[in-house]
Amino acid sequence: MNISAVLLAGGESRRMRKDKATLLFRGKPLWQIQLELLRQLEPAEIFVSARTDPIWRPADVEFVADNLPSRGPLSGLAASLAQMRTKHLLALAIDMPFMTEKYLKFLCGQIEPGGGVLPKIDNRAEPLAAIYPREVDVVLRSALSGVDFSLQGLTSRLVEAGKLRTVSVPDEARKLFLNLNDPADLQPI
């Protein structure tokens, strides 16, 4: 696919109390699960966005430092958009191990020139498993210098501006967006 992909791995994992990327889930570390998933899509390039270059990063995956000071996922998205060589960036959070190749391919199939794709569950955007067009680079960098770093508000403005198109997540796909935030989330589901 002629898209770029970024694995967002810059979180502090405060509630989990350890680096989520190295957590074992179904026998594999989360970073490996998510990179394998992204590789299945055959993007033009894959980035790992984090505060510092992770020791687990494979050599064929490019490191992109979160823009400092770190503003959560917004920093990683902005830094990755600035580095990419394609017209669209697929973002995937490190802590979303239920996401599937089939669903991500569905999102990729919704891409339009100059526009990205934003899944929504009810009225809540899912910006950490979404596709962003190169054209939002300036908007994201500008948001980094503001005071509101919420991706909910930012993606809402991008939808209003016609840069992102929302797709409703059907009931049977909602589980794909579950993320692992604290140790209880690692219990069998």
Side-chain angles (χ1 to χ4, degrees):
M1 285 190 187
N2 193 24
I3 62 166
S4 300
V6 61
L7 180 58
L8 298 169
E12 294 180 18
S13 302
R14 278 181 243 140
R15 289 180 282 171
M16 190 62 78
R17 297 184 292 278
K18 65 185 286 185
D19 183 11
K20 288 182 189 180
T22 59
L23 284 176
L24 291 182
F25 184 77
R26 298 180 179 162
K28 288 184 180 180
L30 286 178
W31 70 263
Q32 185 178 1
I33 292 168
Q34 298 303 72
L35 282 179
E36 286 174 0
L37 175 58
L38 291 176
R39 282 189 172 112
Q40 290 171 358
L41 300 173
E42 300 179 357
E45 57 195 351
I46 300 177
F47 304 114
V48 168
S49 176
R51 293 166 189 252
T52 59
D53 193 353
I55 59 171
W56 49 261
R57 180 183 57 86
D60 65 331
V61 174
E62 190 175 337
F63 170 65
V64 177
D66 284 359
N67 286 332
L68 295 175
S70 182
R71 305 294 190 211
L74 176 59
S75 294
L77 287 171
S80 299
L81 281 163
Q83 288 282 119
M84 72 179 197
R85 295 184 299 271
T86 65
K87 294 183 179 184
H88 288 89
L89 178 69
L90 168 65
L92 181 64
I94 192 86
D95 63 356
M96 235 182 246
F98 302 102
M99 187 52 65
T100 65
E101 176 187 8
K102 180 180 178 183
Y103 192 81
L104 292 178
K105 281 185 174 180
F106 162 75
L107 288 181
C108 291
Q110 305 300 307
I111 294 173
E112 296 175 353
V117 184
L118 179 67
K120 281 189 98 170
I121 296 177
D122 299 324
N123 290 321
R124 184 158 178 81
E126 293 294 340
L128 303 183
I131 300 174
Y132 297 86
R134 173 187 297 281
E135 290 81 359
V136 301
D137 176 42
V138 174
V139 176
L140 269 65
R141 281 188 285 128
S142 176
L144 285 171
S145 62
V147 293
D148 179 9
F149 309 114
S150 161
L151 286 178
Q152 292 296 317
L154 178 62
T155 55
S156 179
R157 290 190 299 279
L158 291 172
V159 167
E160 289 172 15
K163 297 298 179 189
L164 292 177
R165 188 169 56 80
T166 62
V167 294
S168 293
V169 176
D171 289 343
E172 64 273 10
R174 289 177 180 220
K175 65 183 181 289
L176 303 178
F177 293 87
L178 293 175
N179 56 9
L180 306 178
N181 286 318
D182 59 53
D185 293 339
L186 292 170
Q187 303 306 315
I189 294 177

